[in-house]
Amino acid sequence: LFYFLREGRGIVHRLKYLAPLRTHQEDFMIDSLQRVSRAVLLGSLLIAVLQGLAGALGLWIAGIPPLFWGTMMGLAALIPVIGTGLVWIPAGAYLYLFGEWHMAVFFLLYNVIIVTNIDTILRPLLMRRAAQVSPFLIFLAILGGIHAFGALGIIYGPLILTFLMAMLTIYGEEYKEVLTSRTGYTQHRNEP
């Protein structure tokens, strides 16, 4: 990351020189990848803050100090897959072990239904705007990325999907006449 930040422009310039694409196609590709990278980073931070706030509310209702543990939930939300579960699962177990099983059940259900779904619902929606593809494809890209690359798949999955969609757009642009004459299908304005 250090070298990419320090020498990023040179690296991009060299890649553009080596790529067998037209200048506007290279710019389209780079813009798409930058847009998705920014959305992944900012989206992850926004989701972590929202999960931390929602988790703090649940902690406050359960009688657990919300300021510290809500902050810990927000930080844990940045960890893919398990995330906020690092805080709310032990907190629910604590409530159950100390005889507050009603509150433990409420707290666990609250976190499973509310806090966890903040990530499940918002991440594909935030990615959709940046990648300009269906939330279902973003969801599949995130799941496939996690399966293939582990925790970093949350970043790599949408980036690979964006790269694929950009390449398909460029392919459709380059071979428009051949594709139209062979299939009889014409692309509509809003289609990628």
Side-chain angles (χ1 to χ4, degrees):
L1 181 60
F2 168 76
Y3 288 106
F4 191 73
L5 289 174
R6 191 178 89 175
E7 300 170 10
R9 285 197 174 133
I11 293 170
V12 169
H13 180 69
R14 182 72 177 159
L15 288 174
K16 286 175 80 171
Y17 171 74
L18 293 173
L21 300 172
R22 294 186 175 102
T23 304
H24 74 279
Q25 293 170 336
E26 293 169 347
D27 293 340
F28 172 71
M29 182 76 64
I30 291 169
D31 179 56
S32 298
L33 293 173
Q34 281 179 338
R35 194 175 53 247
V36 169
S37 299
R38 197 171 294 123
V40 167
L41 178 64
L42 295 176
S44 294
L45 293 175
L46 175 66
I47 289 168
V49 167
L50 291 175
Q51 283 186 306
L53 290 172
L57 177 63
L59 289 161
W60 177 72
I61 292 169
I64 298 172
L67 183 62
F68 176 76
W69 292 111
T71 304
M72 290 297 107
M73 283 181 86
L75 292 172
L78 294 170
I79 302 169
V81 183
I82 190 160
T84 57
L86 288 172
V87 176
W88 61 261
I89 291 172
Y94 167 82
L95 290 169
Y96 180 77
L97 291 173
F98 285 93
E100 298 185 40
W101 69 271
H102 288 94
M103 190 54 72
V105 169
F106 161 77
F107 184 70
L108 292 174
L109 287 174
Y110 173 83
N111 282 286
V112 167
I113 294 169
I114 304 291
V115 176
T116 303
N117 281 326
I118 289 173
D119 185 33
T120 307
I121 293 169
L122 281 183
R123 188 174 304 275
L125 291 176
L126 292 171
M127 294 288 109
R128 177 181 148 213
R129 285 193 177 146
Q132 299 174 346
V133 295
S134 130
F136 179 69
L137 289 177
I138 294 292
F139 179 71
L140 290 179
I142 291 170
L143 288 180
I146 290 171
H147 179 72
F149 302 108
L152 289 175
I154 288 179
I155 297 169
Y156 294 158
L159 284 175
I160 291 169
L161 175 66
T162 301
F163 182 76
L164 172 67
M165 297 307 287
M167 292 305 291
L168 288 174
T169 300
I170 291 170
Y171 177 81
E173 178 184 294
E174 282 296 310
Y175 296 101
K176 183 178 181 178
E177 295 81 24
V178 175
L179 294 171
T180 304
S181 68
R182 199 172 70 187
T183 62
Y185 177 79
T186 57
Q187 181 176 351
H188 298 287
R189 284 183 90 186
N190 296 338
E191 288 183 48

